[in-house]
Amino acid sequence: MQKIKYIAVVIALFSLAMCGVALIMMPTLVAADLIISMAVIMLVAVVLAREKIVRKPSKLIIFSIFLGLISIPLVTIVRVFGSFDVLSLVFHTQFGVEGTTLRGFELEIFASVFAVFAIILSGYVLGSISGLPRFFAIVSFAVLLTFNPALRFAWAYALHPEIESDLQFALREPEVKLEPEIRPDIIYIYLEGLERAYGRQDIFGDIYAPLNEYADKGVTFSNVRQIRGTGWSLAGIVATKCGLPLVPNGLRNRYGFQQQFEFLGDHLCLSTLTHRLNYQNAFVFGGVQAFGGMDHFLRTHSIFDVTDYAAMESQYPAAVFRDARSGPILDDALVFDAATRVYDRLIGSDQPILLTVETYGPHGKTSLLSGDCTASGQAETTSDVVAAIKCTLQSTQVFLDHVIATRGDRPTVVVLLSDHLNHDPALRSYFSIEERENTFIIFGVGYEPAFASAGMVVDRLASMVDVYPTVLAFAGLADPDVQAGLGRSLFGEAPTVIEEKGHQRLDRELFPNPGLSAAVWGATPE
């Protein structure tokens, strides 16, 4: 009997420690380790119960259970995305996640529940064996409290002294050409999470090679970092189309996201400008418009020609749509096919085009393979990000080949960029956040500004907000030194905000920053 007690104590202590560490190192911890540990704990608990050693738990264990239930969704976020992005959490909580699904994240959810439950059970078992149920109930609560992602985030900010920020005064309305000499077609292609890290041949082979071919035709920006407020899809789009980080609107403002019809309506974003210049604005993606405020943004900034999940369901035969569907997401092959149809329709007009295509394939731990890349011919979720990248780039090449072949004499600017860094937590084992850059390549077909040349590489320290003014300059819609929002053209002389402040300092100034939030959202702080 005594031997069983000692074994149970050792196992429970080990599990308590390991699961606590798991809450910190979740992105790199294999869930199977937790499953094995939990199985042993359950076995010990059963043995103890049969021997009638287990005592009545302390009432304090209720606090651990309550905190554990709160922690599970936050822990799951860290396991899925590799980090806890409070801005993304706040934004999606207030703007909604309609159209999303938990499909593909079952293992992460299970492992999160598992880790939290193991900590609570370990405290319970240790308390029962030792005769100190209150003490070990407090220990399990302390472990959950210490490793709760939200509390750790809050604690980290509390330790940093408050710093002054002038970011709200750094916002600039872009000075644009209302009668530009040329109005080239502009095609934005957001390659979901396809950051420059995947260009490392020693780790990922030649999967990035197709992008290098386009880089040889135009300009590559090799040092575009991810700052706070630009780390999810819509945030990346807003940064690269408006020059603004999506800092939270927050409870400080007089109205909330739910009641807000206008989405950054005070700012001149790219599609607002092109609408004034008589462009045809169109947007194609395989998701649901209502997710995370996308519909608000598109409507506010004059993008009414939208081809999304619902539109494609009505445009394609049921069998084709079914094979391209994975939950509420359509694969990139169908998205690019739809984009081809849209492009072919738009070039029938003399008006210039702003066409945006957003992909999903290389999302992260749960990526999506298009049906033309699977043996079944059906779109499938996969944990193989590399395979998803190859598949998405294959569809990208087919689309761009079509554009180049059919554009006629239309001058065309193509912007290839990742919407944000990849969500795959495994990348953290290869690179620190400071070593990772977004993809940003821009090239012209039948068009090239005097200050750019094929194969040019710009290595200035920049962030995603600098993409917008840089595109304005390249497309001839503004001068090379144009500024927009917090963005600065990388063809100009003015230092970027991240060059001035440094990456860490800028991130600290971005949040929390009530003054900047008010300036971005056009609301007055209470």
Side-chain angles (χ1 to χ4, degrees):
M1 183 71 67
Q2 199 67 23
K3 188 174 181 180
I4 293 177
K5 281 187 179 183
Y6 290 141
I7 294 173
V9 168
V10 171
I11 293 175
L13 282 172
F14 172 75
S15 177
L16 188 64
M18 193 182 81
C19 292
V21 172
L23 292 178
I24 300 176
M25 302 180 64
M26 251 171 269
T28 56
L29 192 71
V30 178
D33 295 340
L34 290 176
I35 295 172
I36 294 170
S37 176
M38 188 62 178
V40 176
I41 293 175
M42 293 294 291
L43 179 61
V44 171
V46 170
V47 171
L48 293 176
R50 288 190 61 186
E51 298 297 334
K52 299 181 179 180
I53 299 175
V54 177
R55 303 187 181 192
K56 182 179 179 180
S58 167
K59 292 180 180 179
L60 292 176
I61 204 73
I62 295 174
F63 293 101
S64 294
I65 294 172
F66 176 75
L67 183 60
L69 292 175
I70 295 175
S71 299
I72 286 170
L74 304 177
V75 168
T76 302
I77 289 172
V78 178
R79 290 196 68 90
V80 171
F81 297 109
S83 62
F84 182 73
D85 187 340
V86 70
L87 296 189
S88 177
L89 179 64
V90 170
F91 185 86
H92 287 97
T93 297
Q94 296 195 3
F95 245 126
V97 291
E98 182 177 340
T100 191
T101 177
L102 298 178
R103 182 179 177 182
F105 301 138
E106 294 86 357
L107 181 60
E108 286 77 16
I109 295 170
F110 177 73
S112 301
V113 172
F114 187 88
V116 169
F117 180 57
I119 290 172
I120 297 171
L121 181 61
S122 297
Y124 170 57
V125 171
L126 286 167
S128 298
I129 296 171
S130 64
L132 299 172
R134 290 173 59 86
F135 173 77
F136 282 104
I138 293 173
V139 169
S140 64
F141 180 81
V143 171
L144 288 169
L145 188 69
T146 302
F147 299 138
N148 180 284
L151 294 176
R152 287 174 55 222
F153 179 88
W155 179 248
Y157 265 93
L159 291 178
H160 284 302
E162 186 174 346
I163 57 176
E164 294 185 4
S165 175
D166 60 354
L167 287 178
Q168 67 266 38
F169 305 113
L171 294 175
R172 297 287 182 270
E173 182 83 5
E175 295 184 9
V176 296
K177 299 177 181 179
L178 299 180
E179 296 183 2
E181 295 180 12
I182 300 176
R183 294 179 301 162
D185 290 346
I186 304 173
I187 299 177
Y188 263 72
I189 300 179
Y190 289 100
L191 300 166
E192 171 76 30
L194 213 167
E195 60 178 275
R196 284 178 56 83
Y198 291 109
R200 284 281 302 270
Q201 292 189 2
D202 56 327
I203 300 174
F204 300 107
D206 62 352
I207 61 170
Y208 202 82
L211 289 178
N212 290 331
E213 293 179 15
Y214 296 118
D216 292 340
K217 300 177 181 180
V219 184
T220 299
F221 302 88
S222 60
N223 204 3
V224 180
R225 304 294 183 85
Q226 180 165 293
I227 59 175
R228 288 194 182 279
T230 66
W232 62 99
S233 291
L234 183 56
I237 292 172
V238 169
T240 57
K241 292 277 187 74
C242 306
L244 299 169
L246 267 188
V247 291
N249 189 5
L251 301 177
R252 301 181 183 89
N253 291 329
R254 297 184 186 279
Y255 55 86
F257 285 135
Q258 299 288 353
Q259 293 76 40
Q260 183 171 308
F261 183 84
E262 290 288 310
F263 192 115
L264 306 176
D266 293 340
H267 300 277
L268 182 63
C269 298
L270 179 60
S271 54
T272 315
L273 170 62
T274 54
H275 179 70
R276 294 179 186 177
L277 294 175
N278 204 30
Y279 271 69
Q280 305 172 85
N281 292 337
F283 194 96
V284 182
F285 72 121
V288 178
Q289 277 194 64
F291 178 78
M294 179 71 81
D295 52 349
H296 291 260
F297 175 75
L298 297 177
R299 181 177 57 243
T300 300
H301 295 284
S302 304
I303 303 178
F304 307 112
D305 185 347
V306 180
T307 304
D308 65 349
Y309 182 97
M312 281 184 258
E313 186 174 17
S314 65
Q315 293 173 7
Y316 285 89
V320 173
F321 183 84
R322 182 187 62 245
D323 287 344
R325 182 171 64 87
S326 178
I329 298 292
L330 297 174
D331 69 25
D332 292 341
L334 192 67
V335 167
F336 276 114
D337 186 83
T340 300
R341 294 185 178 191
V342 171
Y343 180 77
D344 288 346
R345 167 168 54 84
L346 296 179
I347 60 174
S349 167
D350 292 335
Q351 295 172 252
I353 298 166
L354 171 62
L355 173 59
T356 301
V357 184
E358 183 187 8
T359 67
Y360 180 86
H363 185 266
K365 286 187 71 172
T366 304
S367 297
L368 184 62
L369 275 177
S370 298
D372 54 3
C373 297
T374 65
S376 64
Q378 166 76 45
E380 298 175 0
T381 56
T382 178
S383 59
D384 188 346
V385 181
V386 171
I389 289 173
K390 290 181 178 179
C391 189
T392 292
L393 287 182
Q394 175 180 303
S395 297
T396 304
Q397 286 180 294
V398 171
F399 171 71
L400 286 178
D401 287 347
H402 178 81
V403 168
I404 293 170
T406 60
R407 70 176 183 85
D409 59 355
R410 302 176 71 97
T412 303
V413 171
V414 178
V415 183
L416 294 167
L417 68 166
S418 50
D419 53 351
H420 49 70
L421 299 181
N422 199 277
H423 292 315
D424 185 5
L427 282 177
R428 294 177 63 184
S429 62
Y430 294 115
F431 313 103
S432 67
I433 191 68
E434 291 79 12
E435 295 176 299
R436 296 168 64 182
E437 303 96 12
N438 279 284
T439 290
F440 177 25
I441 298 167
I442 185 168
F443 66 94
V445 185
Y447 170 86
E448 185 175 86
F451 50 81
S453 58
M456 181 177 176
V457 177
V458 177
D459 194 40
R460 292 180 58 184
L461 181 61
S463 66
M464 292 291 270
V465 297
D466 300 310
V467 170
Y468 172 39
T470 303
V471 172
L472 285 177
F474 189 93
L477 304 181
D479 291 331
D481 59 354
V482 64
Q483 303 181 10
L486 287 181
R488 310 292 183 253
S489 169
L490 299 177
F491 294 116
E493 298 296 328
T496 64
V497 175
I498 195 171
E499 281 178 326
E500 287 185 322
K501 295 179 178 291
H503 196 165
Q504 292 185 354
R505 166 85 186 200
L506 179 56
D507 272 350
R508 287 179 58 193
E509 288 191 37
L510 284 169
F511 179 78
N513 192 326
L516 179 62
S517 292
V520 167
W521 288 101
T524 305
E526 294 183 341

